[in-house]
């Protein structure tokens, strides 16, 4: 009887395994030796697809960027609605893969999906009537806001031990020990509040742009 064949090693299979490893154990867990073991192959075989660990991490980061929905920028719809929906999709992708955020935060570099993302946002803002310089700033500030929201949980940063918040020292943190158990709800509400405030401010600037045009 013939032995069952191992799945062929491919770029996509390496990226998928690396992404699962990063999700599970963080960036420090990734090495070519560890990844080869996860895939059941010899270490040198990875070098037919990636030369270095950094190249693998860049590819993982780009695979996460590729999860972000960009369809809202098609068809020339309202720029504010498009930015809102894109930001929600972007945050969802980062929330599902938080350990890769430090790599994404370096900027798009040469990563194709990340560059398509930047191109879509910038192009939509210019098409909506924003001057080029302000369209660039909008892309930057949105990335700062979304990336920042994905770097950690505000609510999850408070311990659930009431004794940690002595009212003599922290008179306004009497309920802080309850935050962690409502982490998702609090973080989601904070993100939406911040996003709305950011878009409100941009809308005011947009009216000034239109008046001066």
């Amino acid at each position: 009887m013939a032995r069952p064949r191992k799945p062929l090693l491919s770029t996509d299979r390496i990226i998928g395994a690396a992404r699962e490893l990063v999700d599970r154990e963080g960036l420090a867990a990734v090495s070519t030796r560890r990844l080869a073991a996860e895939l059941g192959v010899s270490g040198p075989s990875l070098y037919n697809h990636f030369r270095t660990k950094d190249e693998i991490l860049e590819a993982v980061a780009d695979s996460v960027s590729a999860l972000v929905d960009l369809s809202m920028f098609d068809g020339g719809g309202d720029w504010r609605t498009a930015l809102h929906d894109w930001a929600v999709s972007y945050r969802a992708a980062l929330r599902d893969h938080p350990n890769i955020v430090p790599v994404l935060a370096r900027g798009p570099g040469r990563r194709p999906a990340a560059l398509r993302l930047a191109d879509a946002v910038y192009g939509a803002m210019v098409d909506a009537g924003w001057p080029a310089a302000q369209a660039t700033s909008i892309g930057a500030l949105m990335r700062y806001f979304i990336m920042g929201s994905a770097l950690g949980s505000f609510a999850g940063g408070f311990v659930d031990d009431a004794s940690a918040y002595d009212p003599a020292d922290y008179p306004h943190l009497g309920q802080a020990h309850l935050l962690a158990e409502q982490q998702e709800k609090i973080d989601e509400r904070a993100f939406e509040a911040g996003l709305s405030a950011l878009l409100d401010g941009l809308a005011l600037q947009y009216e000034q742009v239109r008046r001066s045009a």
Side-chain angles (χ1 to χ4, degrees):
M1 181 181 295
R3 294 181 179 178
R5 297 177 60 187
K6 292 182 180 180
L8 292 175
L9 192 62
S10 66
T11 298
D12 287 344
R13 187 169 170 238
I14 295 170
I15 293 171
R19 185 172 58 233
E20 290 178 6
L21 184 57
V22 171
D23 287 346
R24 191 170 67 244
E25 299 183 34
L27 294 172
V30 179
S31 68
T32 52
R33 178 178 295 181
R34 175 69 187 280
L35 196 51
E38 292 278 325
L39 290 162
V41 300
S42 63
S45 63
L46 297 180
Y47 296 118
N48 294 323
H49 302 270
F50 296 99
R51 292 174 297 178
T52 65
K53 167 186 169 178
D54 284 344
E55 282 191 2
I56 294 171
L57 292 177
E58 286 287 306
V60 170
D62 212 39
S63 74
V64 173
S65 292
L67 300 174
V68 181
D69 184 11
L70 300 176
S71 64
M72 65 285 295
F73 296 119
D74 298 334
D78 175 64
W79 66 267
R80 175 177 174 148
T81 301
L83 272 185
H84 175 277
D85 294 347
W86 166 72
V88 170
S89 177
Y90 200 171
R91 179 174 179 263
L94 301 187
R95 183 187 59 218
D96 292 342
H97 304 281
N99 291 336
I100 200 64
V101 172
V103 180
L104 286 164
R106 299 172 191 164
R110 297 178 180 271
R111 300 193 297 268
L115 289 170
R116 284 193 294 271
L117 186 155
D119 181 74
V121 175
Y122 176 79
M125 295 306 100
V126 170
D127 289 345
W130 285 97
Q134 286 178 272
T136 299
S137 295
I138 290 170
L141 72 89
M142 293 296 291
R143 192 167 73 85
Y144 297 153
F145 175 70
I146 298 164
M147 290 282 181
S149 75
L151 286 173
S153 165
F154 171 79
F158 291 85
V159 299
D160 60 0
D161 179 4
S163 67
Y165 309 102
D166 188 329
D169 296 320
Y170 315 110
H172 306 295
L173 296 182
Q175 300 297 308
H177 64 288
L178 302 175
L179 291 175
E181 67 184 34
Q182 302 181 56
Q183 175 178 329
E184 185 174 348
K185 181 193 298 184
I186 293 170
D187 291 345
E188 186 70 28
R189 190 169 61 219
F191 179 79
E192 281 292 340
L195 181 58
S196 294
L198 189 156
L199 293 174
D200 285 345
L202 287 177
L204 292 175
Q205 291 185 32
Y206 186 71
E207 289 304 314
Q208 295 174 359
V209 167
R210 301 301 289 174
R211 284 196 297 269
S212 62

